[in-house]
């Protein structure tokens, strides 16, 4: 049985899709959500094989939900929308299909068949998301685990990032969150206009830098506005200086 999650802020749209999917013998809807934040929680909780995501939803768009999925457990993605201008971004994220509203049973049946074929050929959503993140839209907000729930934080509130094997410590002025992602993956999502790597395991928000102090052999100390001192490796010095206009 193929497990499905539906996310759409319009109740009639959710109900229609759920009803038509129920007519497919091998499909079962295990969860639904009415906004992007709830969709992320629902996917994390239900672990579906495929998620039908409306592109335009409150809190997070369907594209942002897909871009923030954990690659090791990401489902296949089908985007659903009334607007065709998001199609390019959707397929950049390696979506299985892009359902344009209003669609009919016949069109949905073709989508379901594509899902079956993707599952049959063992092409999980994880690989699609991991590849597609390189082309995903930059996110100004980030979903992070916070106990039993997921917390939405502003990217601008992140002061620095510290890699720890397959995890990243996300440091804000208030607290630190632990995210199961690689540093490069997270930087790709947050956008390198605001963040820059200063060490193989560390990146910093450019807006958090207060001053720099030279050390020996080309290394520097970076003094953040919050008083913390980080090490700038010589390897990343030129890139940082270029970003700072030097």
């Amino acid at each position: 049985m193929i497990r499905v999650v539906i996310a759409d802020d319009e109740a009639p749209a959710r109900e229609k899709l759920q009803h038509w999917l129920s007519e497919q013998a091998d499909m079962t809807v295990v969860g639904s959500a009415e906004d992007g934040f709830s969709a992320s929680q629902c996917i994390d909780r239900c672990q579906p094989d495929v998620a039908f995501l409306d592109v335009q939803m409150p809190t997070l768009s369907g594209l942002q939900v897909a871009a923030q999925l954990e690659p090791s457990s990401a489902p296949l993605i089908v985007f659903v929308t009334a607007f065709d201008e998001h199609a390019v971004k959707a397929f950049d994220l390696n979506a299985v299909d892009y359902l344009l509203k209003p669609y009919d049973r016949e069109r949905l049946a073709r989508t379901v068949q594509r899902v079956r074929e993707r599952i049959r050929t063992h092409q999980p959503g994880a690989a699609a998301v991991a590849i597609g993140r390189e082309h995903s839209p930059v996110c100004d907000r980030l979903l992070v685990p916070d106990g039993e729930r997921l917390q939405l934080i502003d990217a601008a509130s992140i002061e620095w990032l510290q890699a720890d094997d397959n995890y990243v410590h996300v440091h804000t002025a208030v607290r630190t969150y632990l995210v199961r992602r690689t540093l490069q993956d997270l930087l790709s999502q947050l956008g390198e206009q605001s963040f820059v790597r200063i060490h193989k395991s560390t990146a910093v928000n450019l807006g958090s830098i207060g001053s720099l102090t030279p050390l020996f052999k080309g290394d520097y100390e970076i003094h953040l506005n919050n008083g913390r001192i980080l090490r700038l490796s010589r390897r990343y010095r030129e890139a940082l200086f270029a970003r700072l206009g030097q």
Side-chain angles (χ1 to χ4, degrees):
M1 190 67 74
I2 299 173
R3 296 163 54 82
V4 180
V5 159
I6 298 171
D8 196 309
D9 61 337
E10 297 177 357
R14 293 197 305 273
E15 292 166 0
K16 183 182 80 170
L17 180 54
Q18 180 163 356
H19 176 66
W20 285 359
L21 287 174
S22 70
E23 298 174 351
Q24 305 290 329
D26 57 349
M27 291 268 171
T28 180
V29 177
V30 295
S32 64
E34 59 185 25
D35 61 72
F37 183 71
S38 299
S40 293
Q41 291 180 309
C42 187
I43 291 171
D44 186 61
R45 182 177 64 255
C46 298
Q47 296 293 297
D49 300 301
V50 58
F52 286 77
L53 302 177
D54 187 17
V55 171
Q56 293 189 323
M57 294 186 289
T59 65
L60 290 171
S61 72
L63 296 170
Q64 289 175 318
V65 171
Q68 295 193 13
L69 290 172
E70 165 57 43
S72 65
S73 58
L76 299 173
I77 300 296
V78 175
F79 289 108
V80 187
T81 182
F83 307 96
D84 61 3
E85 66 264 31
H86 303 294
V88 173
K89 288 183 179 178
F91 284 109
D92 276 347
L93 282 163
N94 268 348
V96 176
D97 205 353
Y98 187 90
L99 271 177
L100 191 62
K101 298 177 182 177
Y103 55 88
D104 56 22
R105 277 186 170 88
E106 189 174 323
R107 178 65 182 86
L108 178 62
R110 293 203 297 272
T111 297
V112 170
Q113 186 57 32
R114 289 178 183 177
V115 169
R116 292 185 183 117
E117 290 171 358
R118 183 73 73 90
I119 290 175
R120 187 167 54 245
T121 55
H122 306 290
Q123 298 181 40
V129 169
I131 295 169
R133 269 189 183 142
E134 296 178 10
H135 308 284
S136 65
V138 172
C139 294
D140 57 4
R141 290 183 290 179
L142 183 69
L143 275 176
V144 294
D146 184 15
E148 297 292 323
R149 61 176 187 164
L150 294 171
Q151 179 70 41
L152 194 60
I153 63 174
D154 291 331
S157 71
I158 300 171
E159 296 180 331
W160 62 291
L161 305 164
Q162 181 181 24
D164 184 4
D165 290 331
N166 292 322
Y167 290 82
V168 176
H169 298 273
V170 178
H171 299 276
T172 71
V174 179
R175 55 174 295 188
T176 296
Y177 302 90
L178 186 61
V179 179
R180 192 173 185 277
R181 301 270 290 276
T182 67
L183 181 59
Q184 184 55 49
D185 186 35
L186 208 51
L187 287 174
S188 297
Q189 182 181 343
L190 292 172
E192 298 188 3
Q193 289 187 342
S194 299
F195 292 84
V196 62
R197 192 188 288 257
I198 58 172
H199 187 273
K200 65 180 180 181
S201 62
T202 313
V204 65
N205 188 330
L206 289 170
S208 298
I209 297 176
S211 62
L212 294 92
T213 301
L215 298 175
F216 53 89
K217 295 185 178 179
D219 287 1
Y220 278 74
E221 282 184 344
I222 296 179
H223 300 258
L224 302 188
N225 294 323
N226 63 9
R228 177 172 289 277
I229 299 175
L230 302 176
R231 186 68 166 259
L232 169 62
S233 168
R234 181 179 57 182
R235 174 182 175 186
Y236 299 94
R237 182 188 60 196
E238 296 305 321
L240 175 63
F241 281 15
R243 301 287 299 281
L244 296 175
Q246 295 297 311

